[in-house]
Each structure stands twice: as C-alpha cells, then as structure tokens.
Amino acid sequence: VVRIKPTSFTVYPDDLFIEQYRIMQVMHDSGCVPAARALWIEEDAELLGSPFFVMEKMVGRVPVSIPPYAESGWVTEASPEQRRRMWENGVRNLAAIQSAPRDQLGFLEGPEHAREGLEQEFDKYSRFAAWIQQDRPWPVVERALARLRDLWPDNRPAGIVWGDARIGNMMFDENFKVIAVMDWEQPSLGGALNDLAWWVVNSELMHGARADRPHLAGMGTREETIALWQEVTGIPVAGLQWYEDFTMLKMMMLGIRMAGLRGQQPMDEAMLARQLKVE
C-alpha cells in the first residue's frame, strides 16, 4: 500500500507525515501493537508529485463509522460473544500503545515550550484553534479553551497519543481479534488519557445507545472500557471527564475545519456552546 502525503484538503496544520511513518515502524518493530510494516519512505516529490511511503498490505475487516457499525454491517450481524471479543481485544490494544518504547519516540516531541505531556497536546490544539479562525472568528472555541485551561487537571500521566483512537481505526481477523492498528496521522507524547477519552467519547457519540438505538449487546460500556484500560495500563484515570471535554472540543474544531473544506454551512455556535459547556 502506498500512502501519499496530502498537498491539499489538509485537515490539520501540523505536517507529521514522516512522524507517521516512523511511529508505525516503532509500533511494528516493538510488537506492542500490530501495525502494518512500513517498508520505506521516499521524500523526493518528483516521483509521484508528493512524498510517499510504502507499507505492507493488511487484510481484514474494519468497524466503519458511516453508517455506524452499531446500526448495520458485519458488526451488527456478529453474535454478542464475537462482539465482546472484538471490544475487549480493541481496548487491550488501545492500552498496549502505552507500552511502546518511549526512548525510541523522541521524534514526537513538540515545540520547545511544550515538548511533551498535556502541555504538548493542549498547545497543538490551541494552534489548531488559531488556524481554523483565519477565515472567521469562533469565540465559542476560545471560551472553551479558556475553560479547560482554568480547570487544568491534576492527573496528567505521561504517555503516547495515537490520535484518532477508535475501534474504527482497527482491522480485525475472522476471529474478531485486532490484526492492525491504523491511522497514525497525528501522534504525540501528549499523555495517555487523551486516547482513552477520545475512544469513549467516540464510542458514545457514534455508536452508543440512544432513544432509537439500544446498546449493542457484547460491546463494553463506557465504565467497562475505562476499567479494562486502567487494569491493563496501570494508569490512574482520575479526572477523565476533563479529557473527555477536551476531546469534545477537538472534535468540534475538526467539524469546523471539515465543513470549511467541503463548503458546507458552518456549525451552529449555540449548539457548540452547549456541547462545550460554555453557554
């Protein structure tokens, strides 16, 4: 599989294309989680019009988000026991990311004033906020950032940020076990709780129970996911709600950026304010 560096329709301001290749190498070579073997990278844009890297092709099934896997597709057709195996294996691999050799990940450090830890991740999305406001201001985003800064959590464990941490970025075999952890586009050393928060928020928003859709039998609840992740990592999860609020802000900013790229109507600020708890 060839992955080509995007030159347009870019979602993030940070160019982490080489870092994406390198973290895939670390994950694969260390064996902490299954990742496609990254074979080589070509930084010369003359060949394909942009830098690219080549990775081993993996074959399996992915729980897609559109349409939500909780509503249709192979996940809904599986038995509760198979879904339980998928969920547990997914969470265990999410947790296993934190066992990657940190001494090999120095290339993920942030700028001098925010090298790692939550400061790095917060700086990254503060810059993202400024970037998406180049065309128009979003006061609700600034208020949400200020609220999170004022409520800065005491529990800030070190750790790796996968980025888009969700079961939809995992590939499974016929036995419902993870064979590939994918989408390493925005990694950092921003702290372990960021991935856990992203996982549980995405699971609830996209695939959780609601009035017209019951909980999908076999899939773990928010509480079960948090408990299993903590059991595997040994990392305390106190104050996780702050990280979930931070995740909501990240997702809202991504929504603003994607709407702009697609020429769609901007998001409703009043609705954003409610979701970001800054009414």
Side-chain angles (χ1 to χ4, degrees), residues 202-231:
N202 182 270
S203 296
E204 291 292 306
L205 282 179
M206 293 294 296
H207 312 285
R210 61 191 191 198
D212 61 340
R213 184 179 66 200
H215 177 76
L216 194 60
M219 300 299 289
T221 63
R222 174 184 182 276
E223 291 72 24
E224 288 175 317
T225 296
I226 294 169
L228 178 57
W229 185 91
Q230 184 175 26
E231 175 189 326

Side-chain angles (χ1 to χ4, degrees), residues 16-185:
L16 299 177
F17 190 73
I18 294 175
E19 288 82 354
Q20 177 184 178
Y21 172 79
R22 293 182 67 183
I23 194 172
M24 288 179 64
Q25 283 187 312
V26 171
M27 291 297 167
H28 179 274
D29 293 348
S30 67
C32 60
V33 295
R37 187 160 62 104
L39 300 173
W40 74 86
I41 189 166
E42 176 55 70
E43 298 184 55
D44 186 350
E46 291 295 320
L47 296 173
L48 297 182
S50 186
F52 65 90
F53 64 82
V54 180
M55 55 185 162
E56 183 180 33
K57 181 179 180 178
M58 310 294 288
V59 179
R61 298 182 296 184
V62 176
V64 299
S65 294
I66 302 174
Y69 66 73
E71 296 180 5
S72 65
W74 64 272
V75 178
T76 60
E77 295 163 2
S79 70
E81 293 75 22
Q82 289 170 324
R83 288 195 290 262
R84 191 69 176 181
R85 193 181 313 137
M86 182 185 78
W87 164 80
E88 181 176 343
N89 205 245
V91 175
R92 288 187 179 278
N93 275 276
L94 171 70
I97 289 171
Q98 301 308 322
S99 67
R102 290 282 304 280
D103 61 345
Q104 297 180 30
L105 296 172
F107 59 88
L108 292 182
E109 288 185 346
E112 186 174 352
H113 63 280
R115 285 293 189 198
E116 60 182 39
L118 187 54
E119 289 79 7
Q120 180 190 7
E121 191 74 356
F122 199 81
D123 173 76
K124 177 178 181 175
Y125 279 91
S126 296
R127 290 184 288 103
F128 190 18
W131 191 57
I132 63 173
Q133 293 185 84
Q134 292 177 347
D135 295 328
R136 59 156 287 184
W138 286 92
V140 63
V141 169
E142 294 299 325
R143 294 201 306 273
L145 282 170
R147 173 183 176 272
L148 289 169
R149 173 57 78 180
D150 289 344
L151 298 174
W152 200 244
D154 294 327
N155 187 29
R156 304 189 299 277
I160 300 159
V161 177
W162 167 17
D164 195 358
R166 55 192 175 92
I167 204 167
N169 276 329
M170 290 177 167
M171 183 180 286
F172 293 81
D173 65 14
E174 65 277 5
N175 295 314
F176 293 79
K177 292 189 176 182
V178 176
I179 58 171
V181 178
M182 307 176 293
D183 193 354
W184 297 92
E185 290 185 53

